[in-house]
């Protein structure tokens, strides 16, 4: 039997890709997870190759979907997104290779800390040279993100995955803390110099920024690993402050205009005291005064308890957001108070000065009451005790309190970590100073809280010996 085909049934030519609209092409690209898919697509035909080459928005989309931390804000010119994607991909590849080599070095290291002759010396601190730019790839390794191009390609099954994840987690936590330390140093150099005046930061802004940096520094390692970025955790803290501010503003707005005695500062302060100490329940932690967490704003917000200094800092932050500026911190011996500004700017009568004891329910104190507080601690009275404490000095005293608590409970790892803040505070966040600190105390990188989660006991000592052997990295 012969099969015949009529002329009218001739096959139609396949539709050409040349006519595909560019917006449709962009929709297709959105489904590609990384640059490898883009490269395969662009190699399929000349049209796609030209579309990928000409449109930098494709690389901007890939860039922003891959990296959450350490992104640059100055990328704007055409083709710059692709160039920066290639640059950061190279940094990620280098970081992953260093971690793999470190795992190999630890595995071939004897329990005594000596290496076999065929092992190659690797320095894990070289990862720190890229700072926050490697944060995302380290997190991808920690959470074992199989969709990440490097985790998929480089993390093979023939290496100890838990050890690799532990090293990545340790570096990730340290990179975060080092970032906080640099910003801490920048805050002190900016607030004490000419730039402070140029930027017009108020004392309340400096204090709030510093207290939040301390909160960031103490983010638990496990929470850092679970969050997509440290800013996600910080947002939980700032949203609690915003909630308090909004609740208080709602209370002010609900006051009838015909019976509104809260336009003057001291009346507003009185209403704020009723709100914070009676309704919210802020109070001094008299039962566990020396818990270091009493100095951290997130713990104060969660437990509604703190020490005089942290409660004062929170009070000043809230005052700033409700439009009450110039609430000054007063550092009496052994106790912190706040001074309320007078409604009369021309009132120079020192006898009219009014203070708040936030540790004891927000009660109002006169100068004589302040004298009695000082006497209760066994100190002789001096008029200079009522001088304003700068936000910088208040932040340094917070750091002193934290160090004192860690010494008391013999928490040496946290005490050592705090030295990162100390050295940047004194050296204006000089990165070389931090490098030298890590060279002297490389064991500070060893995250005890994470070791129990990732490290089997037989390899525990080998990892400690590995960190102790690290050398000063090259930084630019």
């Amino acid at each position: 039997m012969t099969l015949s085909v009529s002329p009218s049934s001739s096959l139609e030519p396949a539709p050409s890709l040349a006519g595909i609209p560019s917006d449709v092409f962009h929709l297709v690209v959105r489904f590609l997870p990384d640059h490898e898919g883009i490269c395969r697509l662009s190699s399929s035909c000349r049209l796609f190759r030209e579309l990928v080459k000409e449109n930098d928005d494709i690389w901007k989309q890939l860039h922003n979907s891959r990296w959450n931390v350490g992104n640059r804000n100055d990328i704007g010119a055409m083709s710059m997104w692709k160039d920066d994607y290639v640059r950061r991909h190279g940094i990620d590849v280098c970081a992953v290779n260093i971690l793999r080599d470190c795992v190999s070095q630890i595995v071939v290291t004897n329990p005594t800390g000596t290496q076999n002759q065929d092992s190659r010396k690797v320095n894990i601190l070289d990862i720190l040279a890229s700072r926050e730019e490697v944060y995302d790839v380290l997190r991808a390794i920690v959470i074992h993100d199989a969709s990440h191009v490097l985790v998929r390609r480089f993390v093979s099954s023939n290496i100890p995955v838990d050890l690799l994840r532990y090293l990545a987690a340790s570096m990730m936590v340290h990179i975060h803390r080092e970032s906080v330390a640099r910003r801490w140093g920048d805050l002190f150099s900016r607030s004490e110099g000419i730039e402070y005046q140029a930027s017009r930061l108020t004392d309340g802004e400096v204090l709030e920024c510093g207290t939040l940096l301390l909160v960031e520094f103490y983010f638990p390692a496990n929470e850092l690993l679970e969050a997509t970025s440290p800013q996600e955790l910080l947002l939980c803290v700032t949203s609690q402050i915003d909630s308090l501010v909004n609740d208080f503003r709602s209370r002010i707005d609900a006051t009838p205009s015909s019976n509104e005695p809260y336009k003057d500062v001291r009346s507003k302060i009185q209403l704020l005291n009723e709100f914070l100490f009676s309704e919210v329940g802020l109070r001094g932690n008299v039962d566990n005064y020396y818990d270091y967490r009493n100095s951290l704003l997130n713990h104060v917000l969660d437990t509604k308890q703190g020490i005089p200094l942290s409660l004062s800092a929170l009070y000043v932050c809230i005052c700033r957001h409700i439009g009450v500026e110039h609430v000054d911190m007063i550092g009496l011996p052994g106790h912190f108070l706040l001074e309320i500004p007078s409604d009369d700017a021309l009132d120079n009568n020192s006898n009219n000065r009014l203070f708040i004891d936030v540790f004891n329910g927000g009660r109002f104190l006169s100068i004589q009451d302040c004298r009695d507080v000082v006497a209760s601690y066994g100190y002789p009275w001096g008029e200079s005790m009522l001088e304003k404490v700068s936000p910088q000095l208040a932040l340094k005293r917070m750091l002193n309190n934290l160090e004192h608590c860690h010494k008391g409970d013999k928490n040496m790892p946290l005490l050592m970590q705090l030295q990162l803040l100390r050295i940047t505070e004194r050296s204006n966040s000089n990165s070389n100073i931090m490098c030298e600190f890590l060279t002297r105390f490389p064991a500070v990188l060893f995250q005890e809280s994470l070791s129990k989660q990732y490290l089997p006991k037989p390899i525990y000592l080998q990892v400690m010996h590995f960190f102790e052997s690290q050398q000063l990295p090259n930084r630019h």
Side-chain angles (χ1 to χ4, degrees):
M1 181 178 180
T2 305
L3 181 66
S4 61
V5 180
S6 63
S8 61
S9 64
S10 58
L11 297 177
E12 296 181 0
S16 171
L17 293 175
I20 185 172
S22 60
D23 55 343
V24 174
F25 175 76
H26 294 153
L27 289 175
V28 173
V29 168
R30 289 179 183 274
F31 291 94
L32 299 176
D34 50 54
H35 66 280
E36 289 186 338
I38 294 291
C39 292
R40 292 192 187 99
L41 182 64
S42 63
S43 64
S44 62
C45 71
R46 181 180 301 174
L47 170 67
F48 287 167
R49 184 165 59 252
E50 292 301 319
L51 287 173
V52 170
K53 179 180 178 182
E54 294 176 0
N55 198 318
D56 201 46
D57 286 341
I58 295 172
W59 294 99
K60 178 180 179 180
Q61 173 189 319
L62 285 176
H63 193 289
N64 291 336
S65 64
R66 177 165 168 180
W67 293 292
N68 294 309
V69 179
N71 276 339
R72 292 169 52 189
N73 297 320
D74 57 346
I75 304 175
M78 290 294 289
S79 78
M80 288 299 292
W81 284 100
K82 179 181 178 181
D83 292 344
D84 200 66
Y85 185 100
V86 172
R87 180 187 68 85
R88 290 201 62 173
H89 176 71
I91 291 173
D92 285 354
V93 170
C94 181
V96 172
N97 287 335
I98 290 174
L99 286 177
R100 284 174 56 93
D101 290 342
C102 289
V103 169
S104 300
Q105 180 175 316
I106 292 172
V107 170
V108 300
T109 300
N110 298 320
T112 59
T114 59
Q115 298 176 0
N116 296 336
Q117 292 183 354
D118 59 346
S119 64
R120 186 166 64 89
K121 183 68 175 178
V122 186
N123 189 3
I124 197 172
L125 296 184
D126 286 334
I127 292 178
L128 298 180
S130 300
R131 295 177 174 172
E132 293 96 328
E133 290 195 316
V134 295
Y135 190 93
D136 288 296
V137 71
L138 294 176
R139 182 177 181 271
I141 293 173
V142 172
I143 66 175
H144 210 67
D145 182 7
S147 66
H148 194 285
V149 59
L150 294 183
V151 176
R152 189 170 64 243
R153 181 193 301 176
F154 292 107
V155 180
S156 58
S157 58
N158 61 346
I159 63 173
V161 176
D162 284 345
L163 176 55
L164 183 71
R165 294 173 67 194
Y166 172 77
L167 294 180
S170 297
M171 299 309 295
M172 181 179 162
V173 171
H174 182 78
I175 285 172
H176 164 70
R177 287 178 176 165
E178 192 177 284
S179 169
V180 174
R182 285 199 308 274
R183 284 179 283 145
W184 177 269
D186 290 341
L187 178 66
F188 275 83
S189 62
R190 181 175 58 182
S191 60
E192 293 175 348
I194 298 176
E195 190 177 347
Y196 171 61
Q197 301 298 331
S199 60
R200 297 181 179 177
L201 288 176
T202 65
D203 285 352
E205 289 171 330
V206 174
L207 182 65
E208 182 172 345
C209 182
T211 53
L212 289 176
L213 284 174
L214 286 177
V215 170
E216 283 193 71
F217 193 84
Y218 275 87
F219 279 155
N222 288 333
E223 292 184 14
L224 274 175
L225 303 184
E226 293 172 1
T228 55
S229 70
Q231 284 65 39
E232 180 183 326
L233 297 177
L234 186 62
L235 184 61
C236 296
V237 182
T238 56
S239 63
Q240 286 180 278
I241 298 175
D242 292 340
S243 179
L244 289 175
V245 171
N246 291 333
D247 288 347
F248 179 73
R249 283 176 175 165
S250 298
R251 180 167 181 161
I252 290 288
D253 293 340
T255 304
S257 57
S258 60
N259 186 28
E260 186 179 354
Y262 305 118
K263 291 183 178 180
D264 60 283
V265 172
R266 292 195 173 182
S267 295
K268 186 182 286 188
I269 288 291
Q270 185 173 359
L271 183 64
L272 179 61
N273 282 2
E274 294 174 5
F275 171 70
L276 289 178
F277 301 109
S278 297
E279 294 185 24
V280 177
L282 283 183
R283 62 193 184 279
N285 191 344
V286 295
D287 296 326
N288 197 11
Y289 188 91
Y290 293 101
D291 185 340
Y292 77 90
R293 294 174 299 175
N294 287 327
S295 294
L296 303 177
L297 217 56
N298 56 337
H299 185 74
V300 174
L301 288 165
D302 289 339
T303 64
K304 307 297 186 294
Q305 297 184 85
I307 56 177
L309 183 50
S310 59
L311 290 171
S312 296
L314 176 59
Y315 196 100
V316 171
C317 291
I318 294 174
C319 282
R320 186 176 77 84
H321 288 285
I322 63 173
V324 179
E325 296 282 358
H326 310 299
V327 176
D328 294 331
M329 307 185 82
I330 307 296
L332 299 181
H335 204 61
F336 239 80
L337 302 175
L338 294 174
E339 181 174 6
I340 307 170
S342 172
D343 291 298
D344 185 358
L346 300 178
D347 184 5
N348 295 320
N349 188 348
S350 61
N351 293 325
N352 291 336
R353 297 178 71 180
L354 191 61
F355 307 88
I356 303 176
D357 186 351
V358 291
F359 188 77
N360 292 298
R363 68 188 181 102
F364 292 108
L365 303 179
S366 64
I367 292 180
Q368 183 56 50
D369 293 326
C370 293
R371 290 173 179 267
D372 295 339
V373 170
V374 172
S376 70
Y377 285 95
Y379 291 96
W381 174 254
E383 293 297 331
S384 61
M385 293 179 179
L386 292 180
E387 292 179 357
K388 168 187 171 181
V389 173
S390 70
Q392 297 83 13
L393 182 57
L395 292 172
K396 290 179 181 180
R397 287 180 67 161
M398 287 183 182
L399 212 54
N400 291 341
N401 289 340
L402 287 165
E403 288 180 340
H404 179 75
C405 291
H406 294 326
K407 288 177 181 177
D409 58 21
K410 296 181 173 55
N411 192 332
M412 296 308 295
L414 279 178
L415 186 61
M416 290 300 297
Q417 290 282 354
L418 273 185
Q419 301 315 303
L420 285 173
L421 298 179
R422 281 295 190 205
I423 60 177
T424 54
E425 172 189 303
R426 297 164 183 162
S427 60
N428 297 337
S429 70
N430 188 309
S431 60
N432 292 329
I433 299 294
M434 284 192 279
C435 288
E436 293 171 7
F437 172 76
L438 288 177
T439 305
R440 292 177 59 195
F441 308 104
V444 75
L445 296 171
F446 186 80
Q447 302 296 331
E448 181 72 28
S449 61
L450 296 176
S451 63
K452 298 176 182 178
Q453 180 179 352
Y454 292 106
L455 294 182
K457 288 185 178 180
I459 206 170
Y460 183 92
L461 289 178
Q462 291 171 243
V463 174
M464 285 205 66
H465 287 307
F466 170 77
F467 277 122
E468 290 171 353
S469 69
Q470 298 307 291
Q471 302 297 322
L472 178 67
N474 295 320
R475 297 206 183 184
H476 305 286

